[in-house]
């Protein structure tokens, strides 16, 4: 079996140069790099990754904890993270926490035991104190899709309060005053923040918050469908439903159509996240952008700089939501 020594002899370079090429060190000319790769290919030489890790004290892998592994929201974020890491010759190891504190902790322990050089954490259930304690260990980490105040300089997140406010203000500006709200699980910070933004906008327009027109759900289509049925059964008057994500909005619209209601002629809707499929349904869903792919890019780039670069990175940005206006809001006469 070919060794690094055989490669250095065939390529006519030093062992150190072969090592730099294998480790993708920039301090090698393109001509020399090409000669080393040709020698490796001719000899059938494959670097021993385990030996490299032991020698460098690096595994060249990043652990990524995800709340979920399915759905149109998390897939684009995982794809972006993996693309950025792979472009830097690093590998992502994914684990899921399923919004359960014990499973999230188990997943983090698994990633650390695999020798991951750093962590990207999307955790719903672990409390802030646990994440702060984890950040004080030697493994660098960045938190995505969540703000932990004590780790603000290590969090990539969206201003969800502003997003809930923008969505609600938009329908209020279109003349709606009788609003219903389908919220995500209230134990989740993003759900609470979006509901807070909803309440702030209502207060700004001097509209009373009606708890009976606020249905808690689970961020999935079926949950939005069932929540909408509950709102319709309550026999309370409302002209518009603000939904805390697009998946629940899609399910809620389906429930309305089954009941013979026209959207937006009889009832208007606005969602949150700007995932792909609601822009293709009829009517196309007005929503709030949640640039999850850009957040994945920011988190992966930040952790690469933090872990492998000589200069510490700047604090990651807080992303701002934007209104995406389409066809699901009917304008009512101003009052």
């Amino acid at each position: 079996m070919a060794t690094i020594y055989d490669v250095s002899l065939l390529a006519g370079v030093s062992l150190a140069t072969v090592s730099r090429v294998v480790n993708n060190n920039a301090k090698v000319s393109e001509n020399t790099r090409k000669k080393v790769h040709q020698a490796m290919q001719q000899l059938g030489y494959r670097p021993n990754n385990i030996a490299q890790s032991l020698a460098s004290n690096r595994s060249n892998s990043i652990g990524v904890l995800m709340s979920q592994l399915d759905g149109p929201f998390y897939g684009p974020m995982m794809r972006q993270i993996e693309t950025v890491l792979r472009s830097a010759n690093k590998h992502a190891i994914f684990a899921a926490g399923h919004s359960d504190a014990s499973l999230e902790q188990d997943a983090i322990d698994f990633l650390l035991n695999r020798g991951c050089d750093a962590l990207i954490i999307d955790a719903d259930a672990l409390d802030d104190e646990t994440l702060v304690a984890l950040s004080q260990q030697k493994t660098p980490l960045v938190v995505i899709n969540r703000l932990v105040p004590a780790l603000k300089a290590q969090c990539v997140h969206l201003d969800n309060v502003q997003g809930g406010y923008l969505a609600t203000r938009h329908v209020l500006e279109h003349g709606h005053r009788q609003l219903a709200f389908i919220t995500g699980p209230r134990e989740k910070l993003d759900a609470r923040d979006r509901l807070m933004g909803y309440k702030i906008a209502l207060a700004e327009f001097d509209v009373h918050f009606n708890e009976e027109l606020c249905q808690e759900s689970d961020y999935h289509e079926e949950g939005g469908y069932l929540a909408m049925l509950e709102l319709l059964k309550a026999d309370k008057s409302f002209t518009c439903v603000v939904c805390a994500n697009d998946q629940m909005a899609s399910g809620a619209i389906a429930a309305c159509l089954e009941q013979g209601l026209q959207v937006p002629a009889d009832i208007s809707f606005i969602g949150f996240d700007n995932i792909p499929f609601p822009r293709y349904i009829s009517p196309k869903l007005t929503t709030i952008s949640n640039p999850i792919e850009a957040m994945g890019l920011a988190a992966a780039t930040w952790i690469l700089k933090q872990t492998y670069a000589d200069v510490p990175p700047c604090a990651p940005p807080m992303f701002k939501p934007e209104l995406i206006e389409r066809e699901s809001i009917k304008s009512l006469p101003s009052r």
Side-chain angles (χ1 to χ4, degrees), residues 4 18-24 45-60:
I4 191 172
V18 176
S19 179
R20 282 194 289 270
V21 172
V22 167
N23 289 293
N24 203 33
Y45 173 76
R46 293 180 62 84
N48 186 323
N49 291 331
I50 295 176
Q52 284 179 269
S53 297
L54 290 173
S56 65
N57 201 29
R58 297 285 195 189
S59 67
N60 288 319

Side-chain angles (χ1 to χ4, degrees), residues 23-91:
N23 289 293
N24 203 33
N25 192 303
K27 298 177 181 179
V28 180
S29 72
E30 193 56 39
N31 184 54
T32 299
R33 190 183 303 277
K34 184 177 179 180
K35 286 198 301 182
V36 172
H37 280 301
Q38 287 174 339
M40 290 168 61
Q41 185 175 9
Q42 184 175 334
L43 293 168
Y45 173 76
R46 293 180 62 84
N48 186 323
N49 291 331
I50 295 176
Q52 284 179 269
S53 297
L54 290 173
S56 65
N57 201 29
R58 297 285 195 189
S59 67
N60 288 319
S61 61
I62 306 295
V64 186
L65 170 66
M66 302 299 303
S67 297
Q68 306 291 336
L69 296 177
D70 60 350
F73 183 77
Y74 291 102
M77 180 168 71
M78 289 189 287
R79 181 176 62 246
Q80 187 64 258
I81 290 172
E82 196 274 341
T83 298
V84 172
L85 296 182
R86 185 175 287 273
S87 69
N89 293 313
K90 313 301 178 189
H91 290 276

Side-chain angles (χ1 to χ4, degrees), residues 34 63 66 77 98 105 138 152 216 250 267 273:
K34 184 177 179 180
M66 302 299 303
M77 180 168 71
H98 302 291
Q105 186 62 62
K138 64 179 182 179
K152 187 175 181 180
E216 182 175 352
S250 299
I267 187 165
D273 283 343

Side-chain angles (χ1 to χ4, degrees), residues 39 189 224 227-228 232 250 326:
L189 178 60
M228 191 69 229
L232 294 172
S250 299
R326 297 195 181 107

